[in-house]
Amino acid sequence: MKLSEKIQQLRKEKGLSQEELAEICKVSRQSISKWEADIALPETDRLLLLANTFQVSLDVLLKDELVVNGVKKTGTCGLNAINDAESGIYEGIIIKESLDRDEILDAVSMNKVEIWNAGGAPKYWTAIYFTSSRPDFPELLSGALSGGTDGGEAWFADFKSGNMKYIVFNGLVLRYEIGNLPDKERVCRECEKRGVTKEQMNWPE
């Protein structure tokens, strides 16, 4: 079920009109209509309002395969809401706003969702803590990442699998063995070429 369909269904289950939901979300009725028609997507702060209004997790709203009636498993969201991670080959964090294609979320198990204050535009980022058992996950994510941020910097995702660290850009998968300093330096040089700062390269291992 798409986000647009979930918004419409949950709104009706709550007995809310488009006008009433628009007032809660501090947007116009036309915005609600566009969300439900799959013409536009709500911004992150509006997603938070929708999740609170409908009393569902962001996981339910964002992941197409999860239904809203509780038949399929849903994760929880919030700074302190941590589920036991399902076993997976890869584990890390994806910033949802870095994705050009949300279908990549079908390849992960969401273990936690946090909203980070980005201090710019967009104002908030949605951080998805995940595991994935797809052997081709790095290549899938590489094809789903945006080519760059609004400021022209390159989006990238970092995650690990066992003793291997992965740094993934749009169209490029870099990897090194954790503890192998020359290999890591090679990857960092490639990252620098794409505008990644030294501070951004202080990723956890």
Side-chain angles (χ1 to χ4, degrees):
M1 182 183 289
K2 293 182 178 180
L3 174 60
S4 56
E5 297 169 327
K6 292 176 184 178
I7 293 173
Q8 185 177 52
Q9 178 178 327
L10 289 165
R11 174 180 63 79
K12 290 179 177 179
E13 288 179 0
K14 281 285 185 181
L16 296 172
S17 66
Q18 286 188 341
E19 289 82 0
E20 289 169 329
L21 184 57
E23 186 175 343
I24 292 170
C25 292
K26 299 177 177 59
V27 297
S28 66
R29 186 202 61 79
Q30 288 79 7
S31 292
I32 303 296
S33 179
K34 288 180 180 179
W35 295 350
E36 294 185 354
D38 204 19
I39 296 173
L41 292 173
E43 296 178 352
T44 303
D45 53 346
R46 301 302 190 269
L47 282 170
L48 284 170
L49 288 170
L50 289 170
N52 288 334
T53 300
F54 298 143
Q55 297 182 325
V56 298
S57 71
L58 284 174
D59 202 358
V60 168
L61 291 177
L62 296 175
K63 198 168 182 182
D64 285 355
E65 73 178 36
L66 298 178
V67 296
V68 298
N69 62 8
V71 173
K72 291 193 178 182
K73 179 184 175 183
T74 65
T76 57
C77 62
L79 294 173
N80 299 312
I82 303 175
N83 286 345
D84 291 334
E86 296 180 21
S87 60
I89 298 175
Y90 303 100
E91 59 179 340
I93 303 173
I94 300 173
I95 303 298
K96 186 178 185 298
E97 288 72 19
S98 72
L99 301 175
D100 268 344
R101 300 203 331 265
D102 290 345
E103 295 84 14
I104 187 66
L105 299 178
D106 293 333
V108 306
S109 294
M110 296 186 195
N111 304 316
K112 182 172 65 165
V113 178
E114 292 182 350
I115 303 300
W116 293 351
N117 190 329
K123 186 175 181 180
Y124 297 102
W125 286 347
T126 310
I128 300 170
Y129 292 71
F130 74 91
T131 54
S132 177
S133 58
R134 288 285 300 263
D136 58 346
F137 178 74
E139 291 73 24
L140 288 175
L141 181 57
S142 176
L145 279 174
S146 169
T149 66
D150 292 339
E153 297 176 353
W155 278 112
F156 71 92
D158 69 279
F159 51 92
K160 67 178 183 177
S161 174
N163 202 39
M164 293 298 295
K165 186 70 179 181
Y166 289 79
I167 312 298
V168 175
F169 295 84
N170 177 272
L172 178 67
V173 177
L174 302 171
R175 61 178 65 83
Y176 65 88
E177 185 177 4
I178 295 172
N180 186 329
L181 189 57
D183 216 18
K184 180 178 180 178
E185 289 176 347
R186 172 188 57 81
V187 168
C188 289
R189 285 194 298 271
E190 289 295 322
C191 292
E192 283 185 298
K193 292 177 184 177
R194 286 160 178 81
V196 180
T197 66
K198 293 189 182 295
E199 292 76 16
Q200 291 174 306
M201 285 187 269
N202 289 327
W203 46 66
E205 294 182 341

